[in-house]
Amino acid sequence: MKLSQRLQTLADLVPRGVYAHIWDCCCDHGFLASVLIATKRAPNVHFIDIVPELIEKITLRQSMTNSAVNWTAQACDITRLRLSDSNASQLIIIAGVGGELTAQFIDAIVVNNPSKDIDFLLCPVRDVYRTRQALINYEFGLLDEQLVTENKRTYEIIYASRQHAIQALSLIGEQLWQPQNSIQLNYLARLIKHLQNAAQTSEEAKKQLALYQQLIK
Ligand SMILES: C[S@@+](CC[C@H](N)C(=O)[O-])C[C@H]1O[C@@H](n2cnc3c(N)ncnc32)[C@H](O)[C@@H]1O
């Protein structure tokens, strides 16, 4: 299965043999999780989406595929997700939804699954600052962060962990901006333009704007 550039970048970041369970939440057609199953990244891979029809289609497709990996497909609201296997290491992937909603999903997953060894691999659409805030609130640190461009749009990918982080997570990203190339500069310019507009009516946007402006060299 050929993935889009964004989903392929996410797939490439998932290590083999580290996680007992990988959860592709908001999986939509489930292409990312299907590739993770085909490339045997973990013994258990789960498709989660709130839309039952999507889950039915995925179940039909996966049932026709021979797989050495255990998989489940559940129509479920992520805010109600209960992770199985409490002591096992788990990777939660949330991609393609807004940064504010991603932050709410992080809240719900962490609160509902308090003793779990959970890492997050995230690719929010806009408002990534809010997503980063939620991760920092729960003391997640950084494993990796990257920018990926698809259809002329640039997205942040954040790979975060509490137990295995290699550095602190920043509200605006750090690794992301080094070295600065045209993709980073264009993305930063768009972020700043958006925040300049928002700052006319929002103190929060003003605060964020000041942080991003520090990145202009
Ligand atoms: C734009 S798609 C993203 C698909 C894929 N992850 C990607 O990045 O291309 C967003 C998906 O999130 C699902 N979704 C939205 N809210 C959800 C929730 N509360 N729980 C589970 N899935 C949800 C939608 O049904 C939809 O399939």
Side-chain angles (χ1 to χ4, degrees):
M1 187 177 289
K2 175 113 177 75
L3 292 178
S4 71
Q5 168 95 32
R6 184 177 54 86
L7 292 182
Q8 187 60 55
T9 306
L10 286 166
D12 290 343
L13 280 165
V14 178
R16 185 175 286 119
V18 168
Y19 298 105
H21 295 265
I22 299 176
W23 303 79
D24 183 5
C25 299
C26 293
C27 69
D28 198 5
H29 297 289
F31 297 142
L32 175 57
S34 289
V35 165
L36 298 179
I37 291 170
T39 52
K40 301 191 180 90
R41 299 304 167 89
N44 304 282
V45 174
H46 309 276
F47 299 84
I48 304 287
D49 200 282
I50 202 167
V51 178
E53 293 76 20
L54 288 168
I55 294 298
E56 279 163 29
K57 277 189 194 161
I58 290 167
T59 304
L60 194 64
R61 187 183 74 221
Q62 278 308 127
S63 309
M64 293 192 292
T65 313
N66 273 336
S67 160
V69 168
N70 296 319
W71 60 270
T72 66
Q74 295 172 50
C76 153
D77 184 334
I78 308 182
T79 58
R80 293 166 183 268
L81 186 65
R82 294 290 187 279
L83 304 180
S84 42
D85 219 352
S86 60
N87 294 319
S89 68
Q90 323 239 1
L91 177 66
I92 311 278
I93 303 176
I94 306 172
V97 297
E100 173 62 43
L101 194 55
T102 305
Q104 290 170 21
F105 291 160
I106 292 167
D107 270 338
I109 288 168
V110 172
V111 169
N112 292 337
N113 301 279
S115 64
K116 306 291 188 299
D117 175 4
I118 301 171
D119 291 351
F120 281 104
L121 180 59
L122 307 169
C123 184
V125 181
R126 294 184 299 272
D127 299 325
V128 184
Y129 188 95
R130 272 293 295 125
T131 303
R132 289 174 174 275
Q133 251 178 348
L135 289 168
I136 292 167
N137 280 348
Y138 290 110
E139 298 178 338
F140 279 83
L142 191 68
L143 285 169
D144 203 346
E145 59 184 359
Q146 300 186 12
L147 290 182
V148 62
T149 298
E150 180 172 276
N151 297 331
K152 298 188 181 156
R153 191 159 180 176
T154 300
Y155 302 85
E156 292 182 33
I157 291 177
I158 306 163
Y159 185 16
S161 176
R162 264 197 293 219
Q163 309 206 356
H164 317 287
I166 51 174
Q167 69 182 82
L169 220 154
S170 146
L171 280 168
I172 56 168
E174 201 167 311
Q175 247 164 251
L176 217 55
W177 310 107
Q178 294 159 5
Q180 283 189 356
N181 60 29
S182 62
I183 290 175
Q184 288 149 323
L185 290 172
N186 285 339
Y187 176 64
L188 183 57
R190 276 189 199 188
L191 263 179
I192 287 178
K193 194 172 171 200
H194 164 74
L195 287 170
Q196 277 169 336
N197 289 335
Q200 291 172 16
T201 52
S202 154
E203 284 304 312
E204 174 57 30
K206 234 182 242 174
K207 200 177 77 187
Q208 292 180 25
L209 177 61
L211 289 176
Y212 284 108
Q213 279 175 325
Q214 286 172 14
L215 292 168
I216 301 171
K217 291 179 180 156

